[in-house]
Amino acid sequence: MRAFSERFASLARAQSEETRDAGRRAELELIAETCGRVPWLPPRSFVEAVQSLWFTQNAAIISYGAGSGITPGRVDQLLFPYYEADLARGELTREHALRLLEELIIKLNNNVIIWPNLGGVRLNHLGSDVENITLGGLDASGEDATNELSSLFIEAITHTSLATTASFRISKKSPKEFVRKVVAIHRETSSPAFLNDETAIAAMVRDGYSVEAAREYCLVGCVEPSGNGDSYGATGGSKVYFPTALDLVFNRGRTTFFGAQDGVDTGDPSRFESFEALLSAFYRQLESMVGWVAEATDLRDAIWAERFHNPLISSTIDGCIESGRDMTAGGARYNFGSVGGGGLGTAVDSLAAIRAFVFERGQVSMGELCEALSTDFRGREDLRQTLLGGPRFGNDLPEVDALATELVARFCAMVTARKTACGGHYKASLISYGLNVYEGALEPATPDGRHAGEPLSNSMSPSNGAERRGPTAAMNSVARIDHTLIGYGNSLNMRLPLGILKSEKGVESVAHLVRGYFDKGGFHVQFNTVDTATLLAAQQRPQDYGDLIVRVSGYSAYFTRLGRRIQDDIIGRSELAPCR
Amino acid sequence: MSLSAATACRVFDMQRFSIHDGPGIRTTVFLEGCPLRCAWCQNPEAFQSGAADELSPEAVIAEVLKDRDFYAVSGGGMTVSGGEPLLHLAPVRALLEEAKRHGIDTCVQTSGAVPEGHLAAVLGLVDLFHFDLKHMSSARHRALTGAGNERILQNAAFLMERGAAVQFRMPLVPGINDDPEHLAELARFVRSIGAKELRVLPYHRLYLDKYTALGLVAPLRGTEAPSAESLQRAAAELGRHDVTAVLEG
Ligand code: SF4
């Protein structure tokens, strides 16, 4: 670590001797001094603290290798004491601090490990790994800890206009103005994440954290809550797909894609006499899948514990030094593993369709459905259309939402019952890492009318285009699920109505949506603004964009139901083309 | 549930997460029927009989209550719109009573083209009226909407006299009611009944497809939305006559 930062120091020193520009020379000298000190020695100023944070983060990622989800944590809390002290001493101005934070944001978006192609498609502009920063929220004592730096970070994120992964912790005590500012970020750049402190803290306590430690949680990777510097989280990487459990039911334990007998033979699906029988077969398959994945993860972790010690990162995690053990070998104070679940909306819509069309209305038999799925609905477009018209998750329909609620509760129970090699337990998550499009490529046709290879629903969100009753209805549906069971988080991704951020009332209403959802127990929500590219895509594939709302004063319409000429008109109207 | 014919609500649409129809987050209930036929009407299904569902006030409120948590955090509630929601008094009154029984905030969007008694009958049940003023010349009003404006203007004054909370609103339609003389006259009227503010709703074209879908011809199909400058000009003109114009976005 010391050698690493010293290389920067000596380069800056050498360059400062060559430059004739006095201003630049002073800058280079400061760089040389800063890099010569941190992170080996403690920072003495805000500049040194920012540099120390970045060096540590950067070295950690290099030491770990590609695919890491290493987070600097609660950066506004970490840096605030230095900011406050420097301001008081007159050694820093707000503007200078903002400039430094902007540079930090650019760095966090940079490509450290070279995987530009996949990174660019999957993650963000610069193809960087996800280095999620956490802002706002409660402190260990339960008071609001939002500070001046939280706001400065908002400005820095807005000015740099990169796809920064930033998580905003919102509690009942968060200042309203802070929430409003976070919403307003959407006017300039892409989606900040909103996290509900009350739900996240309850989930952490359920998983064994003290309430004080839980209140210090930060977000790892996408939306996985973890302890702030005291946990070996291993929050991602292992996952099951709920639609696969259905595929296994339909094929007596074989997956359509791989063909091997990977699951349980739950009997001839055409002979299920009730929906309950089908559901119990589904859960048997799911249980066996969770078992497989957890065992494979144990195996992987055993190899890491033996071969891939990481003393550098371990030195930043409480417990490792005290116990004298590496983080991969159970040294951290808190240890967990994860099994994620994917395609919730697709699976729930499929189960609801089977219940409605096979068992309640008798419109199609299980045998017929099996046949249609195995041929990807060839010659059965009529059946596919019927299935597509079935009841869907995300429309505030209690009977459908109950399927989702039960599925998540049972899945979480299966996962948390398993112990990890490091002594903790597995935690469940429902997140897509932006991969739901790829994941769908391996899944055959599903009983919700989805074609083979089409994307699965993402994270905890309703299937694409399934929600037809607006954002409040979707939130009511998703919030029926007990989010505190899902230790490693879930995400709800929603499209904001086009044009809504034009007015202050619109910004305020989005803040109210967040508050309302969180009061119901929702854990995370993230909004996508609608850009011209989205509108053009919606014209091409209207079936995936059924939830896209256009809102102008006193009038609103679903974009895909408007005529082509009006659609073109909207695409061309600059005042409706907000926020990239 | 037995549906009493007298209070059956003829609902042609319900829209959740309405944010431009009153304070906070609201559910807007659209009731069928309207005595007017405005050339720019964006809800022509309001007077297509048969397009609506007949629902009891309880059933409508059950739907409205689904978002009550969002009303609570935002100060929102239910807005009754149309058509002209006060055209048929019994159902709308039953609906508003039912809302009040559940403590739901209410807003009614009216054209004012109803008997004064209908307004008087719901006064205590309505937290906010949205009242449209379309044109000050009765002859022009008749030509544009099918009826003169005398009763509308009287009703506007009536609500103000009775101390109701009213927001006056004008649909700003280029070439129809956006000339300075008309705006001046409108502003004088607004001041004369004791109001100070006018919400300006710029005309837009998003609704035109509805006419095509219903096999109708939209009278204003050739009219464009007002430009930002003409909106500013209108606001300034109203301001000159001591009326604060609030542009609805
Ligand atoms: S008053 Fe409203 S609903 Fe009635 S015709 Fe005019 S615009 Fe349409």
Side-chain angles (χ1 to χ4, degrees):
Chain A
M1 189 72 241
R2 195 173 195 176
F4 178 70
S5 56
E6 185 49 40
R7 292 176 59 187
F8 289 80
S10 58
L11 181 65
R13 238 174 268 124
Q15 289 189 353
S16 77
E17 280 155 20
E18 280 163 22
T19 183
R20 294 206 198 99
D21 177 340
R24 179 62 184 154
R25 185 172 320 119
E27 232 169 48
L28 286 163
E29 281 166 2
L30 177 65
I31 293 172
E33 194 195 336
T34 307
C35 298
R37 181 174 172 90
V38 294
W40 192 252
L41 294 170
R44 296 163 302 185
S45 64
F46 185 71
V47 176
E48 289 184 358
V50 172
Q51 185 64 51
S52 184
L53 187 143
W54 169 242
F55 268 153
T56 311
Q57 176 70 11
N58 197 0
I61 289 186
I62 293 168
S63 76
Y64 194 87
S68 56
I70 296 168
T71 165
R74 304 187 71 179
V75 287
D76 56 349
Q77 306 304 316
L78 283 170
L79 294 174
F80 188 68
Y82 302 97
Y83 174 73
E84 208 180 17
D86 281 11
L87 276 189
R89 283 188 295 154
E91 285 189 7
L92 183 72
T93 61
R94 194 179 182 282
E95 287 62 42
H96 188 207
L98 177 59
R99 256 187 38 223
L100 291 166
L101 294 186
E102 286 166 0
E103 286 181 29
L104 178 62
I105 293 290
I106 292 170
K107 284 292 182 193
L108 290 169
N109 277 284
N110 248 310
N111 205 354
V112 177
I113 301 291
I114 309 298
W115 56 336
N117 261 335
L118 180 57
V121 174
R122 220 197 93 187
L123 301 164
N124 63 31
H125 305 337
L126 302 178
S128 83
D129 222 319
V130 179
E131 301 175 57
N132 199 338
I133 53 172
T134 301
L135 298 162
L138 299 173
D139 64 15
S141 71
E143 290 308 312
D144 177 58
T146 311
N147 60 38
E148 170 79 13
L149 277 188
S150 323
S151 301
L152 271 187
F153 266 105
I154 291 182
E155 286 178 45
I157 290 166
T158 308
H159 293 169
T160 48
S161 269
L162 297 165
T164 306
T165 305
S167 298
F168 291 88
R169 286 181 43 177
I170 307 297
S171 81
K172 288 198 161 80
K173 294 181 180 167
S174 296
K176 289 212 167 64
E177 179 55 21
F178 178 65
V179 184
R180 204 204 66 82
K181 276 189 196 163
V182 181
V183 174
I185 294 176
H186 294 90
R187 285 177 167 164
E188 301 297 333
T189 182
S190 62
S191 352
F194 295 87
L195 278 302
N196 183 1
D197 266 10
E198 279 77 16
T199 298
I201 292 166
M204 300 273 291
V205 169
R206 190 194 276 273
D207 281 321
Y209 282 88
S210 72
V211 69
E212 290 76 19
R215 285 182 185 135
E216 293 279 15
Y217 81 95
C218 62
L219 287 308
V220 175
C222 306
V223 297
E224 301 96 287
S226 189
N228 199 32
D230 57 11
S231 304
Y232 179 60
T235 68
S238 309
K239 202 167 166 187
V240 300
Y241 295 96
F242 303 126
T244 306
L246 264 179
D247 186 27
L248 290 169
V249 169
F250 277 103
N251 297 292
R252 305 186 66 158
R254 294 174 190 277
T255 56
T256 301
F257 193 81
F258 295 104
Q261 184 75 35
D262 289 327
V264 194
D265 181 357
T266 42
D268 180 352
S270 64
R271 306 188 58 166
F272 288 131
E273 303 237 311
S274 66
F275 179 64
E276 287 64 38
L278 175 124
L279 207 53
S280 105
F282 171 81
Y283 283 119
R284 276 180 64 203
Q285 299 290 2
L286 186 60
E287 177 102 53
S288 115
M289 288 163 65
V290 169
W292 269 80
V293 168
E295 276 169 37
T297 310
D298 289 343
L299 206 61
R300 179 201 67 190
D301 289 347
I303 296 169
W304 280 78
E306 199 186 306
R307 302 276 178 86
F308 294 98
H309 282 196
N310 191 317
L312 175 68
I313 302 177
S314 296
S315 72
T316 71
I317 299 178
D318 293 350
C320 292
I321 305 258
E322 294 84 336
S323 66
R325 268 182 295 158
D326 192 80
M327 64 169 186
T328 56
R333 186 174 304 154
Y334 296 100
N335 292 282
F336 298 101
S338 103
V339 177
L344 178 75
T346 304
V348 168
D349 291 350
S350 296
L351 290 170
I354 296 173
R355 181 169 65 186
F357 298 113
V358 178
F359 293 103
E360 284 174 3
R361 302 182 210 166
Q363 270 170 262
V364 53
S365 71
M366 279 298 286
E368 241 182 298
L369 184 60
C370 284
E371 176 64 25
L373 294 178
S374 68
T375 60
D376 195 16
F377 299 107
R378 205 176 313 123
R380 293 308 310 270
E381 184 58 20
D382 59 322
L383 174 60
R384 199 177 83 84
Q385 287 303 328
T386 305
L387 295 169
L388 279 174
R392 304 221 140 197
F393 178 57
N395 290 299
D396 207 354
L397 303 169
E399 348 49 272
V400 179
D401 300 345
L403 290 170
T405 305
E406 187 190 355
L407 174 44
V408 171
R410 290 183 67 162
F411 169 66
C412 291
M414 291 172 195
V415 171
T416 43
R418 302 212 159 241
K419 298 276 169 276
T420 69
C422 287
H425 63 259
Y426 279 96
K427 298 209 244 178
S429 66
L430 278 97
I431 42 184
S432 294
Y433 317 109
L435 285 173
N436 62 307
V437 172
Y438 301 92
E439 293 162 352
L442 306 184
E443 291 288 344
T446 38
D448 59 345
R450 176 189 143 280
H451 270 303
E454 285 185 353
L456 300 179
S457 62
N458 76 71
S459 306
M460 200 118 109
S461 314
S463 303
N464 279 348
E467 44 172 294
R468 296 296 170 90
R469 298 188 189 193
T472 54
M475 286 176 157
N476 283 349
S477 279
V478 179
R480 287 205 170 96
I481 295 166
D482 181 352
H483 293 211
T484 66
L485 298 175
I486 315 166
Y488 270 155
N490 72 80
S491 67
L492 170 63
N493 299 300
M494 296 188 116
R495 278 193 195 105
L496 279 182
L498 184 61
I500 191 174
L501 297 173
K502 267 173 54 188
S503 64
E504 273 311 300
K505 171 79 193 273
V507 170
E508 190 185 288
S509 299
V510 175
H512 288 145
L513 262 186
V514 173
R515 188 66 258 154
Y517 180 58
F518 284 1
D519 282 351
K520 291 167 178 289
F523 167 76
H524 159 279
V525 62
Q526 193 152 0
F527 299 101
N528 301 316
T529 47
V530 175
D531 55 12
T532 308
T534 313
L535 296 176
L536 293 172
Q539 286 188 324
Q540 297 297 317
R541 295 179 56 77
Q543 68 275 22
D544 288 346
Y545 293 86
D547 59 334
L548 181 53
I549 300 172
V550 186
R551 221 172 265 281
V552 293
S553 63
Y555 189 84
S556 82
Y558 284 94
F559 182 77
T560 55
R561 297 184 213 169
L562 295 169
R564 183 68 184 221
R565 223 170 48 85
I566 304 284
Q567 288 181 350
D568 289 342
D569 201 43
I570 292 170
I571 293 172
R573 275 170 77 177
S574 58
E575 77 263 35
L576 277 181
C579 359
R580 274 137 291 170
Chain B
M1 196 180 312
S2 76
L3 205 53
S4 145
T7 58
C9 300
R10 299 187 53 80
V11 178
F12 71 85
D13 197 7
M14 272 211 223
Q15 193 180 290
R16 295 164 72 167
F17 193 59
S18 283
I19 61 163
H20 293 297
D21 294 332
I25 293 173
R26 314 188 71 83
T27 295
T28 305
V29 179
F30 294 87
L31 297 181
E32 189 193 68
C34 187
L36 302 184
R37 290 292 181 271
C38 304
W40 52 82
C41 182
Q42 57 184 20
N43 290 326
E45 65 270 48
F47 29 83
Q48 289 272 313
S49 56
D53 291 329
E54 289 217 350
L55 298 171
S56 68
E58 293 79 13
V60 176
I61 294 299
E63 185 67 20
V64 169
L65 284 174
K66 287 181 178 169
D67 280 348
R68 88 176 303 165
D69 298 341
F70 293 99
Y71 312 149
V73 295
S74 67
M78 173 180 76
T79 295
V80 192
S81 187
E84 169 49 65
L86 298 177
L87 180 64
H88 305 294
L89 181 59
V92 74
R93 187 159 64 183
L95 184 60
L96 292 166
E97 276 167 354
E98 188 64 14
K100 281 295 147 202
R101 221 165 55 74
H102 290 277
I104 299 284
D105 181 271
T106 57
C107 171
V108 167
Q109 300 189 320
T110 181
S111 65
V114 292
E116 185 185 283
H118 288 200
L119 290 167
V122 298
L123 262 185
L125 299 168
V126 177
D127 295 300
L128 177 67
F129 286 95
H130 280 175
F131 195 113
D132 278 8
L133 296 170
K134 304 174 205 291
H135 209 288
M136 292 310 296
S137 144
S138 193
R140 286 289 284 147
H141 200 281
R142 184 174 302 281
L144 291 165
T145 73
N149 65 9
E150 290 78 6
R151 180 156 76 173
I152 294 170
L153 301 184
Q154 276 164 23
N155 279 335
F158 168 76
L159 284 180
M160 290 304 288
E161 270 161 34
R162 297 291 296 268
V166 191
Q167 268 182 13
F168 291 99
R169 315 190 327 154
M170 79 166 302
L172 190 89
V173 192
I176 302 263
N177 60 6
D178 64 342
D179 53 294
E181 297 71 32
H182 176 253
L183 291 170
E185 204 184 336
L186 182 58
R188 279 193 294 273
F189 172 74
V190 166
R191 293 299 305 199
S192 76
I193 58 172
K196 297 188 176 69
E197 189 187 276
L198 190 65
R199 306 254 158 170
V200 177
L201 309 175
Y203 174 77
H204 63 79
R205 297 165 54 85
L206 291 184
Y207 69 100
L208 289 175
D209 282 338
K210 283 193 185 175
Y211 279 75
T212 320
L214 294 168
L216 302 170
V217 177
L220 297 190
R221 60 197 173 282
T223 302
E224 293 293 330
S227 63
E229 302 79 64
S230 70
L231 285 172
Q232 289 309 329
R233 236 181 291 123
E237 185 61 34
L238 291 164
R240 257 192 291 286
H241 295 86
D242 279 341
V243 168
T244 311
V246 179
L247 295 179
E248 298 268 341

